[in-house]
Amino acid sequence: MPFEFLSDEQVARYGRFPQEPSPGELERFFRLDQAALEQAGERRSPATRLGWSVQWGTVRMLGVFLTEDPAAVPAGAVGFVAEQLGVDADVFGEYGRRAQTVYEHSWQIRELLGYRDFAEAEAEVRRHVAARAWSTTEGPRALFDRAVVHMLKERVLLPGITVLTRLVGEVRREENLRLFGLLAERTPAETAVALRGLLQVPEDRRVSELERLRTSPVKASGRVLVRELDRVAEIAGLGAGRVEVEPVPAVKLASLARYGMASKAPTLRDLEPSRQTATLLATVRHLETASIDDALDVLDLLITSNLLAKAERAGKAEQLRTLPKLRSAARNIASAMEILMNVPQATEDRLVSLAEVWNEIERVVPREKLTAAVATIAAFVPATDDDAAAAWRAELVKRYRTVQHFIELLLEVIDFRAVEAGAPVVAMVRAAAAMAKARRRYDRADIAAHEDLITGSWRPLVFTNPDLPAGQVDKAAFTLCAVMHLHAALRRRDVFAVGAGRWSDPRARLLEGEGWEAARPQLLEALELEAEPAGHLAELASALEGAYTRVLDGLGGNTAVQFVGGRLRVEKLGPLAEPPLMGEFRALIDGMLPRVDFPELLLEVFDRTGLAAEFTHISGADPAMEDFAVSLCGLLVAEACNVGLVPIEKPNVPALTRARLQQVDQGYLRAETISAANARLIAEQAELDIVRCWGGGKIASADGLRFTVPVANLHTGHNPIYFGRQRGATWLNVVNDQVMGIGGVVVPGTLRDSLFILDAILTVDGGPRPETVVTDTASYSDIVFGVFAICGYQFSPRIADLGDTRLWRTNTRATYGPLDHMSRHTVRLDRIRAHWDDMLRVAGSLTTGEVRAYDLIRMLSRDGRPTGLGDAFAHYGRIFKTLHLLQFISDDGYRRMIGTQLNVQEGRHRLARRIAFGNRGQLRQRYREGMEDQLGALGLALNAVVWWNTLYLDAAVKQIRADGFPATDAMCARLSPIAYEHINFLGRYAFTRADPKVGLRPFHDPAAEA
């Protein structure tokens, strides 16, 4: 058919009423203004007055006049208009008996409202669609809807559906051809030849050159790092980064790159020449950034796991090996000191000579043994006590050869830049690379410019190596010292890589100049902040004083708060009493939920919500294959249950063949489409009545679910508590109080979850913006509190031990009674005021997605000490941290809310473990993108279960209420949509459809089963 790319829903609602208008739509489109009332009043009969008025509202809502079938208007709209006119709605049936009257009314309304025919505005509509097609990655369905919305806004009468679909298809093709042609023209001939050469398979290899270059590393070693640096240089040498692509939107380049990264070489070889060149150009430009990130990921893991970890283990082993010698030497020294301490002091009558003392000592410990003991202690105990790293640093120097192989190439291939604090580090590393290359010897004067960075136990290793002549520096120790400084500076982003993504300079991505000035007003309005902080800080100081007062006033009657030995202790909350009949109510509901297999549940969710429409192809096209939802559900089961394709594929079912599943997996299932599907599920669930009993979506919690990854993967980490001897990753996911997952990120190992929470919150898939963010007891800092607060979130971690907690004050003269000893420290409001504009700029950059919170929070501190801006954030955060702690102490409801939300999170994690049962619950993806896609599929599957349970819980509650059971909202609030005993996840993978038009599945009847 001519509009085959449209969904059935789009066809059904184009120029028609697919359902009754909502109350909001009736008010917006069918509320008659004064001019309409006057015009309607001029009609002679009630039927024509009503018909004219209904047409007036219809064209405003649909963009068309229902001249062929004027009666095809929902009764609700007719009644709404009739009430305004004071006529009987039943007379509407008489309207349209004279066709000419209907047409005359449409012409009059068109004149009155200023509507234009499509032919008059076709060029304008084309320009609008072309602008969207050029600047976005929207597919034809989305462009079609955009065109309809534009015409409604500009009062253009909708054409026939075939006309508009043809226009959208033509414009989209034209804009794509313009995009391909522009990029191909900008690409030099030699670069184009080199790019096309990537699609060839060399004789001595099994894969194309493109496949080799886009394959990321999975291990970390010196050899792998050298190979990755060669890969960076090879990709840069293709010249794609030097091509001027300025007019092309970044989102279009990213879309082309995504297609190039996911498509096989034969597919790319079959593309039209200009599209092929444009796709390869965007792909290689993406690889230039990705390869630098991969190389630095390898460097990071090489240093932390292969160099530092091994050196620390070797250092501990050496300490254990030398322990008997140290023990013996210490015993001898102790015996000598005991005699020395017991020697009587000299008096006028008795003089004690040194010879007598030595005679006494030598009777216990011979002088030669004592000399050997002193030498042993001097050899094994560091001369300085300013760090405890001497042992492992000495072991680290022994691994100099690993670093020597790559340090020069590292600086040649990657362009390192630095802020002021990191500039000395870059200079030191360049000097170390030159020393590693040269064969000459170096003395102290040669590295005098870098001596300030040689601190602690590095100094003896660099300057006093006993195996080298006096005055000569240890080149290996100096090089390792420089590399360790580089590693620390890279992690802080004091040093960054030009052209990188994750390892680039977060400061450079902060809003500034015209961009910041344009964004500032909207940011201040959204966050309810002011450019001048005096009023805001005064309000916070007042709120802090009021919080102290409320806590002190309530201490007498709050038996849960006690001071034991001067330390604050808050008793744990007990369970709340359940409403009467709650047990019977819960048993009734649990027994009614239909028994269902997981694949059938997923397919029902897809059919009832139209979820498949959110899965567009990587090229931007919309799906047009038969039983597409079945294929998607099959893939979700394979990924979420962690069982792979083998149990899912069925050669006799076209939608479940391996070829179809692989086609859909490569083209449709990715992070963006999963996020869009989650957004639709979140919105659909919020419309169910029972959800209001659980919350408004304004509270969210973030917690990590740990997965062991037994295969080589660069983006995993060690943690023996969770992963034993293997490595693993953490899925940090965000859940709202309506029990829907609204976002998540994958964290290597268990790396400081709190640093990633804000990134997960700022990139949620859908639903209301959370106001309160709950976390379990974790490593949080004052800076984290400050960054959350400036972005408009209340950070509410559960506190494990309040006894050691520090409270802060702004009033230095106030007395807080029993809390005085905890609140001795003062918030420096002057430091906040001094950095306020920069703090706002950080908030704007975070909320607009210009910079990652993880990078920014690490940037705000250096070696455990905050920078000036970081100190300002810390003081700002201390206000909100103290407010949180005081509320936690005094408000049982607040503590119970935190505990309840964390219980919701734990319940979802139990369900996640139940779903992801395959491969012993371990992830076996070798790349970060693979883990993100699989865990994204698990998150979508979790939301699908929650939505399905919510749907049937809502229906079951309404059913038993109709049967006379007194089910209250308080009882409904205690129901959970994360139950799963009625769902079978094991063994059966049949995708049998339930017809949504028939209604819901029949409720389960335990009596009939028995």
Side-chain angles (χ1 to χ4, degrees), residues 206-220:
R206 300 177 60 186
V207 297
S208 67
E209 290 294 274
L210 177 62
E211 185 66 27
R212 178 179 63 83
L213 291 179
R214 67 186 179 188
T215 301
S216 299
V218 296
K219 296 181 179 179

Side-chain angles (χ1 to χ4, degrees), residues 568-726:
L568 177 67
R569 190 174 73 183
V570 179
E571 291 183 359
K572 292 184 178 179
L573 293 169
L576 281 175
E578 289 196 334
L581 300 178
M582 187 63 211
E584 294 88 338
F585 175 62
R586 186 180 287 115
L588 272 174
I589 294 295
D590 289 346
M592 291 175 68
L593 291 178
R595 276 40 183 170
V596 64
D597 289 344
F598 182 52
E600 294 179 352
L601 180 151
L602 282 179
L603 193 54
E604 183 175 355
V605 171
F606 268 74
D607 287 342
R608 292 192 184 276
T609 62
L611 212 58
E614 304 297 341
F615 291 86
T616 56
H617 193 261
I618 50 175
S619 64
D622 294 302
M625 55 181 70
E626 189 177 354
D627 283 335
F628 179 60
V630 175
S631 302
L632 282 172
C633 290
L635 282 172
L636 283 179
V637 171
E639 294 285 339
C641 293
N642 206 20
V643 295
L645 294 180
V646 173
I648 307 301
E649 63 181 79
K650 292 178 173 54
N652 58 335
V653 179
L656 295 174
T657 62
R658 175 169 285 267
R660 164 71 83 86
L661 292 173
Q662 288 177 337
Q663 177 190 1
V664 174
D665 186 22
Q666 292 172 7
Y668 296 91
L669 198 66
R670 59 187 187 280
E672 305 96 275
T673 55
I674 290 172
S675 177
N678 271 327
R680 177 176 287 216
L681 276 183
I682 294 165
E684 292 274 354
Q685 192 233 17
E687 294 179 1
L688 298 172
D689 294 334
I690 196 173
V691 174
R692 288 192 292 273
C693 300
W694 300 333
K698 299 291 187 179
I699 298 171
S701 58
D703 197 13
L705 186 61
R706 322 291 181 182
F707 289 92
T708 300
V709 184
V711 298
N713 187 312
L714 206 61
H715 302 281
T716 56
H718 286 290
N719 190 314
I721 297 175
Y722 298 105
F723 313 129
R725 294 179 176 273
Q726 294 178 322

